[in-house]
Amino acid sequence: MMNKNKVYPRSSDNQTVYLKSVVTRPTIEVGDFTIYNDFVNDPRDFEKNNVLYHYPINNDRLIIGKFCSIACGAKFIFNCANHTLKSLSTYTFPLFFEEWDLPKSEVASAWDNKGDIVIGNDVWIGYDAVIMAGVTIGDGAIIGTRAVVTKDVEPYSIVGGVPAKEIRKRFIPEEITRLLELQWWNWPIEKIKNSIPDIQSGNLDALY
């Protein structure tokens, strides 16, 4: 089993961390073996530098699955960054309740709440990509460099652009169905270790 306190997957690399070992917020959940690389900032500061507008008042969550690869500069933009579109003005009056003699209890009405950000398993998020509040990214998906993801991404899809759109599927539908049924990332560690050659070579039949 993974050492829960292990921070660096490679002893000679302090730019890559196991994300589960460095996050502290109860509203962030990260699966085993998910990695984050940062060659600009200390990757241990992921929460401060990459998870933005994620304030406790909103109770929204960031959920990231197992075996994900998150590249340098990827950002997760949460609901408190929003300005409500229900108002005639985009100005956040409720946020400045002291200035306008408004009830403090209504602060959250300053923004539209689109929900949690949920990242599946075995997802690769490219350099400087941005994931917006309320988005769910399916297992096995790839998010291209500097993509801005505003809508859900289907499993094993490759998306890119601003806003991100599907470029293509990674596999044919039958293979995607089998992979989603297989869920190799939930296997015992020894089974995964023994299956690495078949996973890497794309030998799906050997995994059954």
Side-chain angles (χ1 to χ4, degrees):
M1 184 63 184
M2 177 186 177
N3 179 353
K4 292 184 178 180
N5 297 318
K6 187 175 184 179
V7 174
Y8 301 103
R10 298 188 295 183
S11 58
S12 60
D13 176 10
N14 62 3
Q15 295 182 350
T16 304
V17 295
Y18 281 132
L19 208 47
K20 186 175 184 177
S21 299
V22 302
V23 297
T24 61
R25 298 180 199 170
T27 48
I28 300 179
E29 176 185 325
V30 182
D32 294 339
F33 299 103
T34 283
I35 57 172
Y36 172 61
N37 172 269
D38 199 320
F39 51 81
V40 177
N41 301 300
D42 188 331
R44 294 174 297 178
D45 291 333
F46 174 83
E47 287 174 312
K48 179 180 75 173
N49 296 327
N50 305 79
V51 185
L52 307 180
Y53 300 95
H54 190 219
Y55 302 136
I57 191 173
N58 212 59
N59 296 313
D60 39 12
R61 300 176 300 157
L62 172 59
I63 302 171
I64 304 174
K66 302 176 181 178
F67 292 95
C68 292
S69 303
I70 304 175
C72 181
K75 300 289 194 299
F76 301 84
I77 311 293
F78 274 85
N79 292 286
C80 291
N82 292 333
H83 292 212
T84 183
L85 300 184
K86 299 172 185 175
S87 171
L88 296 180
S89 171
T90 60
Y91 192 80
T92 52
F93 288 104
L95 204 56
F96 306 107
F97 55 89
E98 294 171 304
E99 184 73 15
W100 300 100
D101 296 323
L102 297 170
K104 185 178 180 179
S105 60
E106 297 299 314
V107 167
S109 66
W111 55 81
D112 292 335
N113 191 345
K114 298 183 178 181
D116 301 334
I117 295 176
V118 181
I119 313 298
N121 303 281
D122 192 25
V123 172
W124 173 19
I125 299 177
Y127 174 76
D128 258 1
V130 176
I131 316 299
M132 301 302 292
V135 164
T136 294
I137 297 176
D139 296 327
I142 297 175
I143 310 303
T145 294
R146 290 184 170 159
V148 177
V149 184
T150 61
K151 296 181 180 179
D152 292 353
V153 177
E154 293 185 359
Y156 290 97
S157 297
I158 301 173
V159 303
V162 182
K165 295 181 180 179
E166 184 173 309
I167 298 169
R168 65 177 175 88
K169 291 288 195 294
R170 292 181 57 196
F171 307 104
I172 62 174
E174 292 79 7
E175 291 174 329
I176 291 174
T177 298
R178 293 176 72 190
L179 282 163
L180 293 174
E181 291 173 349
L182 202 63
Q183 296 185 11
W184 63 263
W185 44 82
N186 288 327
W187 290 354
I189 298 303
E190 281 302 313
K191 184 175 181 181
I192 294 175
K193 187 181 294 185
N194 293 333
S195 301
I196 288 174
D198 293 317
I199 292 173
Q200 287 193 299
S201 65
N203 190 354
L204 184 55
D205 290 336
L207 300 179
Y208 278 82

